Amino acid sequence: MRPVALTMGDPAGIGGEITLMTWRDHRRNLPAFVTFDDPDRLTRLAETTGITCRVQAINELSDAESVCPNALPVIPLSKTVNSLPGDDSTADGAMVIESIDRAIDAAADGSAAGMATNPIQKSRLYEAGFSSPGHTEYLGKRAGLSAPPIMLLAGPHLKVVPVTIHLSLKDAIAALTGDEIVRTLKTTIASMQTDFGIDRPRVAVSGLNPHAGESGHMGDEEIEIIRPAIEEASSADAELFGPLAGDTMFHAAARETYDVAVCMYHDQALIPMKTLDFDNGVNVSVGLPFVRTSPDHGTAYNIAGKAVANPVSLVSAIRMAAEIAHCRARTQDMDRGD
Amino acid sequence: MSSKPRVAIAIGDPAGIGPEIALRAAYSRQVNKICEPVIVGDVEVLARYAHTLRKQLPPNVIDLGAINVNFLTPGESDAACGRAILEYAGKAVDMAEVGEADAVVACPQTQSSIKAAGIEFDGYPSWVARRTGTDPEDVFMMLVSDRLRIAHTTLHVGVREALDQIDTHRIVRVIKATRTALNCIGIGTPKIAVSGINPHAGECGLFGTDDEKIVAPAIAEAQEIGVDAYGPFGADTMYLDESYDAYVVMFHDQGHIPAKLLGFNGTAAFAIGTPVLFSSVAHGSALDIAGRGKADPGALIWAIKQVSGAAVSAED
């Protein structure tokens, strides 16, 4: 079976230790995985944090499956990585980017089932030539997409897609066009079908304004932009409804009426996600030709190196990457009529 | 007995579930244990709903005769109901201002009926401000659930307009009103978290500079006058730190989404920044089930408990 490829993430953050912990505590219940990192750094990190984890350098992704039960398989990066946990003074930006690039290559050429990325600190990468606002946009660029992939957050209680993500609220409102909402809805529907195996997904769409604008009393984006976009994206393959009030669409009974919620801006999507599924939310990049997931948290410098970080979101990300890859393969088989 | 706070319960929309839940709260043993409930409404209206509930009227009812019960159909709210809603709430607020009540809890209103009566109204908080002669700019809404107290810098306006309304001065005022309200409920030096405007509070300017330029200076100013305020924090992760006594958010959904997800026992909506302790109930008038004796008074009782604790603490 093809492994899930992990990236190093910011070496001053918690990515290294949650990778070690994932191997130590969860490898028996996970598909094989491999990380693109500096094996010596990980060995040192295992020693200083006291996380029992054997690290083994490998050359080929195909070796990962046989190595993973006995040691954490690591494909070495071209240079050493010297950052220490919690200390962001060393610029290892080039290696952070190399790790992402090589995982993309592996996921794209099919030698990996997909990729799961550890968190990065974008501002630390800009000096190394990284010019995207985040992982997701960078992956879209690398995949040659004209528009960035869509971010789906998935947890045990909720799947949610923000139409706009990492923009100031003012810019987010400006970016909220009918075309963008339609694209997001269509991509989300396609992902529910191919990535999650839901034939006729039910999609709940939020409004932008409080109470979804209350018939235009509190903003007109619902009437002018969102409702027409929902109509345009409607098809027999899916059940779309909205615009709904952001504050009432997430309670337990409401969540039972849909498979995925599409929200207009970051906080509207992320607040319910973090509230309901803080520990095990997974970020899935939807609309890419390859599978990419990531844990739904940041670099957490403040606790890095202390072995107190919770690896469960990374564990969920690895599992979900493998499940989506499996689901995609099955869909492709069906499309070929096998 | 006299040490118990008197809580004036305005019955809200007479065609909604307000009269029923007010009665049920007034009958409730737990409510009578913590306060002396006084229902402010119409005796005839209340008698009719009490009949549905097969109960007598409770002892403390202030009768305003605001509506002709012969023209009242439960579930069908109109302009007359709209006028009555504000008469009830107005009397209750007046009672609190002159010391005849220690706190006010207002049952759900129906905004369209108040508008139909030709009265300018955009929710209880700004209306309470006008009624008490407080600058409406100094009054804000704080949701109080069992786990969270969340004060809103902006409320029922479109996000675009909310962005225009938010400035440093306004944020300082909401932080101060939050501090005062928490003082009233017995928290001497509350620790207050303040959210950002943008995702991740702007993430060092990557997603807009509003948080550095508008929110951070407000927090600094609040700290200078002795408020224990922190932030700005990303609104999605702010609530995970439960060590704060209250959270101040910039927008409606930033506060209402978590309040509704985490407020298992109901939610009270305080109008903070006015001279009276005023709370409404964080659900609507539920016209669809009005008059059937099915309405759950849980959220109202929750609000009564919140203001009662508050009134008691303020007297201590």
Side-chain angles (χ1 to χ4, degrees):
Chain A
M1 217 177 66
R2 298 173 301 160
V4 173
L6 271 57
T7 64
M8 172 170 74
D10 188 325
I14 57 171
E17 64 203 88
I18 59 176
T19 303
L20 299 174
M21 290 159 118
T22 297
W23 183 85
R24 182 191 64 185
D25 299 332
H26 301 278
R27 67 181 184 278
R28 286 178 197 84
N29 302 313
L30 282 175
F33 55 94
V34 55
T35 183
F36 288 90
D37 206 316
D38 173 354
D40 294 336
R41 160 189 114 88
L42 287 175
T43 303
R44 284 194 305 272
L45 186 64
E47 281 164 12
T48 55
T49 56
I51 300 167
T52 311
C53 176
R54 258 171 47 104
V55 172
Q56 184 177 333
I58 61 171
N59 293 320
E60 299 295 332
L61 281 147
S62 52
D63 295 335
E65 192 181 1
S66 60
V67 170
C68 198
N70 307 312
L72 173 66
V74 183
I75 297 199
L77 298 169
S78 60
K79 294 197 180 73
T80 59
V81 172
N82 302 310
S83 289
L84 294 172
D87 177 5
D88 61 2
S89 59
T90 310
D92 283 313
M95 287 305 99
V96 175
I97 297 168
E98 182 188 312
S99 175
I100 299 169
D101 284 340
R102 291 177 64 180
I104 292 173
D105 293 342
D109 71 19
S111 50
M115 65 189 288
T117 57
N118 270 302
I120 54 172
Q121 191 70 34
K122 276 86 74 176
S123 53
R124 290 230 299 148
L125 298 181
Y126 290 144
E127 59 194 70
F130 192 85
S131 61
S132 299
H135 260 132
T136 307
E137 293 85 352
Y138 183 72
L139 295 166
K141 213 155 80 178
R142 280 290 318 270
L145 301 186
S146 55
I150 280 156
M151 180 167 114
L152 166 77
L153 295 146
H157 296 97
L158 179 68
K159 287 191 189 71
V160 63
V161 173
V163 176
T164 62
I165 314 174
H166 290 136
L167 294 171
S168 74
L169 191 53
K170 188 181 256 173
D171 291 345
I173 296 169
L176 209 56
T177 60
D179 287 349
E180 190 59 20
I181 298 170
V182 170
R183 180 179 84 88
T184 304
L185 290 173
K186 288 187 170 168
T187 312
T188 302
I189 292 166
S191 169
M192 288 299 114
Q193 291 165 336
T194 56
D195 298 342
F196 294 92
I198 302 167
D199 290 340
R200 189 166 185 275
R202 300 165 302 165
V203 185
V205 186
S206 81
L208 167 69
N209 296 302
H211 309 176
E214 215 164 83
S215 315
H217 291 300
M218 297 185 259
D220 59 6
E221 286 85 355
E222 286 77 11
I223 296 167
E224 300 291 327
I225 301 168
I226 302 170
R227 191 177 292 282
I230 294 172
E231 280 164 20
E232 192 182 331
S234 289
S235 77
D237 295 340
E239 182 191 332
L240 276 74
F241 53 96
L244 306 174
D247 60 335
T248 53
M249 64 188 280
F250 295 111
H251 64 80
R255 292 200 306 274
E256 282 178 15
T257 65
Y258 55 80
D259 299 302
V260 61
V262 173
C263 290
M264 294 302 125
Y265 58 95
H266 180 277
D267 283 1
Q268 220 181 22
L270 272 287
I271 292 175
M273 192 66 212
K274 301 264 183 191
T275 304
L276 290 165
D277 290 322
F278 177 67
D279 280 337
N280 39 19
V282 177
N283 174 353
V284 184
S285 296
V286 167
L288 284 172
F290 50 87
V291 176
R292 181 264 176 155
T293 64
S294 73
D296 179 25
H297 56 66
T299 50
Y301 288 148
N302 56 327
I303 56 164
K306 298 178 184 165
V308 296
N310 189 340
V312 66
S313 185
L314 178 62
V315 171
S316 303
I318 295 170
R319 183 172 293 129
M320 189 166 286
E323 283 170 3
I324 293 173
H326 180 72
C327 201
R328 280 193 184 186
R330 210 176 48 190
T331 314
Q332 280 162 5
D333 286 349
M334 285 189 306
D335 286 351
R336 282 200 301 267
D338 290 354
Chain B
M1 290 298 277
S2 62
S3 66
K4 282 192 294 188
R6 267 168 78 91
V7 177
I9 305 169
I11 64 170
D13 189 339
I17 59 169
E20 291 166 63
I21 60 174
L23 286 167
R24 288 194 137 148
Y27 300 137
S28 147
R29 195 171 299 155
Q30 46 172 329
V31 165
N32 283 281
K33 213 162 156 184
I34 54 167
C35 72
E36 184 188 341
V38 182
I39 299 184
V40 183
D42 281 343
V43 162
E44 286 192 350
V45 171
L46 288 160
R48 178 167 167 177
Y49 286 104
H51 182 72
T52 316
L53 299 171
R54 298 170 197 276
K55 294 266 201 180
Q56 302 285 320
L57 275 184
N60 290 334
V61 175
I62 308 272
D63 180 23
L64 297 184
I67 199 162
N68 184 340
V69 74
N70 298 316
F71 295 114
L72 177 69
T73 310
E76 292 178 20
S77 185
D78 57 13
C81 293
R83 262 189 305 277
I85 291 166
L86 295 185
E87 277 193 49
Y88 308 139
K91 174 65 181 172
V93 167
D94 294 349
M95 286 167 64
E97 276 205 288
V98 300
E100 288 171 17
D102 296 296
V104 176
V105 178
C107 291
Q109 44 85 9
T110 306
Q111 197 148 341
S112 56
S113 300
I114 300 175
K115 286 198 166 147
I119 303 168
E120 193 65 30
F121 185 80
D122 64 350
Y124 278 128
S126 57
W127 175 83
V128 176
R130 290 193 294 274
R131 184 82 186 188
T132 56
T134 313
D135 184 348
E137 301 263 286
D138 282 325
V139 178
F140 303 92
M141 203 270 264
M142 181 167 82
L143 286 179
V144 181
S145 73
D146 46 359
R147 273 193 44 199
L148 296 167
R149 299 183 190 93
I150 309 175
H152 293 71
T153 307
T154 66
L155 196 59
H156 289 137
V157 291
V159 173
R160 210 180 276 271
E161 193 182 335
L163 274 170
D164 288 340
Q165 285 183 358
I166 294 168
D167 59 22
T168 299
H169 186 52
R170 191 183 182 101
I171 300 168
V172 172
R173 287 192 321 243
V174 66
I175 295 172
K176 280 161 74 177
T178 304
R179 196 252 312 250
T180 306
L182 266 62
N183 287 162
C184 272
I185 58 173
I187 301 168
T189 314
K191 195 177 161 199
I192 299 171
V194 182
S195 86
I197 292 170
N198 292 314
H200 312 172
E203 197 161 336
C204 309
L206 287 178
F207 315 137
T209 54
D210 311 273
D211 292 294
E212 294 162 35
K213 289 183 178 160
I214 300 171
V215 187
I219 295 168
E221 199 179 322
Q223 285 166 345
E224 272 167 32
I225 54 167
V227 184
D228 201 17
Y230 302 87
F233 300 117
D236 57 339
T237 51
M238 175 172 79
Y239 303 104
L240 301 169
D241 184 342
E242 296 178 31
S243 69
Y244 294 96
D245 296 300
Y247 302 81
V248 171
V249 298
M250 299 298 123
F251 307 102
H252 180 277
D253 280 8
Q254 278 181 333
H256 277 60
I257 293 174
K260 294 203 172 172
L261 279 176
L262 296 172
F264 297 114
N265 294 326
T267 311
F270 281 31
I272 59 171
T274 71
V276 302
L277 191 52
F278 183 100
S279 174
S280 52
V281 180
H283 59 66
S285 49
L287 296 171
D288 52 330
I289 61 162
R292 297 193 207 157
K294 294 201 312 193
D296 178 357
L300 172 60
I301 292 174
W302 167 261
I304 293 169
K305 280 185 185 166
Q306 296 312 301
V307 297
S308 298
V312 169
S313 308
E315 278 169 12
D316 284 347

